[in-house]
Amino acid sequence: MATNILIVEDEEPLTLLLRYNLESEGYSVDNVGRGDEAETRLRESVPDLLILDWMLPGLSGIELCRRLRARPETERMPILMLTARGEETERVRGLATGADDYVVKPFSVPELVARVRALLRRAKPEHISTLLRAGDIELDRETKRVHRAGRELHLGPTEFRLLEFLMQSPGRVYSREQLLDGVWGQDVYIDERTVDVHVGRLRKALNRPRQPDPIRTVRGSGYSFNEMFARAH
């Protein structure tokens, strides 16, 4: 399953920037712009990591953080706090309230993504494995390189994200709509048949004569990474 991240931030341009970069890393990202709405959302489902702005309408980030740490369901959820407050006393206050890390605006997006990886590595190491292996295919998330039976494959960025998404859950069937949301993002409006085009490109890059096709087409449903292939080799 893709790692789920919830962004709670009321600055829309910043939210869009964070979503784009995190989704490019293969994460499943959702966002809300108010603290009270975030509290309601977090009672319904708990993400793998929360990116939380300090100053929010409805309910401040610092108060929301305090409440989350008081609930058994969210007491161990990794929280990365964003704020314009750079003073040492404010950083100490944020960490003391329960934030696991603290980033001061303006910040470097690559640094924030690296901090997200570090938090997930500590909290959920199974979600942040650098290498994905299934059958004779190996995908390296750090170097963005893919090998099959020792042969390096040359994939475009979209085909790489598509393969990574499918390899995370072998055997699970994804509809075209789910693949669009997971690989392209929920805010991108493109035809579902675009998925078929990129699956075709991915298959062409993956498969040579007499090699089994690891991508399974489920008629009328969508696509999956073949579970039997993943167990082989």
Side-chain angles (χ1 to χ4, degrees), residues 65-154:
C65 183
R66 185 190 66 78
R67 295 183 186 183
L68 293 172
R69 289 306 185 224
R71 289 178 52 212
E73 298 87 351
T74 52
E75 65 179 351
R76 296 185 181 277
M77 176 183 62
I79 297 177
L80 174 62
M81 186 161 281
L82 307 179
T83 181
R85 299 169 179 260
E87 298 84 0
E88 181 181 1
T89 55
E90 299 298 338
R91 292 199 299 271
V92 170
R93 182 184 171 198
L95 294 171
T97 303
D100 297 284
D101 202 353
Y102 192 102
V103 179
V104 178
K105 301 175 183 177
F107 51 80
S108 157
V109 172
E111 179 187 357
L112 182 136
V113 172
R115 287 173 181 261
V116 165
R117 282 201 207 100
L119 285 175
L120 288 168
R121 187 176 294 114
R122 292 198 298 268
K124 296 179 179 289
E126 71 276 10
H127 284 270
I128 202 65
S129 173
T130 300
L131 290 177
L132 287 178
R133 293 187 179 91
D136 61 355
I137 296 176
E138 181 179 278
L139 180 147
D140 190 319
R141 287 166 155 160
E142 290 290 335
T143 64
K144 306 295 184 185
R145 299 172 74 178
V146 178
H147 292 81
R148 180 170 189 183
R151 173 176 65 97
E152 184 170 1
L153 309 179
H154 299 286

Side-chain angles (χ1 to χ4, degrees), residues 134 137 163 166-167 170-172 214-215 223-227 229-230:
I137 296 176
L163 178 61
L166 291 169
M167 286 180 67
R172 175 174 174 179
I215 309 299
Y223 298 98
S224 73
F225 194 89
N226 194 319
E227 190 171 16
F229 175 89

Side-chain angles (χ1 to χ4, degrees), residues 23-88:
E23 287 175 344
S24 296
E25 292 290 318
Y27 300 115
S28 175
V29 183
D30 201 358
N31 65 276
V32 295
R34 294 177 56 90
D36 49 356
E37 291 176 2
E39 185 176 30
T40 300
R41 179 78 61 88
L42 288 161
R43 290 189 183 279
E44 297 170 354
S45 63
V46 178
D48 296 301
L49 182 139
L50 178 67
I51 296 177
L52 179 63
D53 189 27
W54 182 302
M55 299 295 292
L56 290 167
L59 180 69
S60 73
I62 201 78
E63 175 60 20
L64 177 57
C65 183
R66 185 190 66 78
R67 295 183 186 183
L68 293 172
R69 289 306 185 224
R71 289 178 52 212
E73 298 87 351
T74 52
E75 65 179 351
R76 296 185 181 277
M77 176 183 62
I79 297 177
L80 174 62
M81 186 161 281
L82 307 179
T83 181
R85 299 169 179 260
E87 298 84 0
E88 181 181 1

Side-chain angles (χ1 to χ4, degrees), residues 5 22 62-63 68 89 168 202 211:
I5 296 176
L22 290 168
I62 201 78
E63 175 60 20
L68 293 172
T89 55
Q168 288 178 116
L202 178 58
Q211 283 186 318

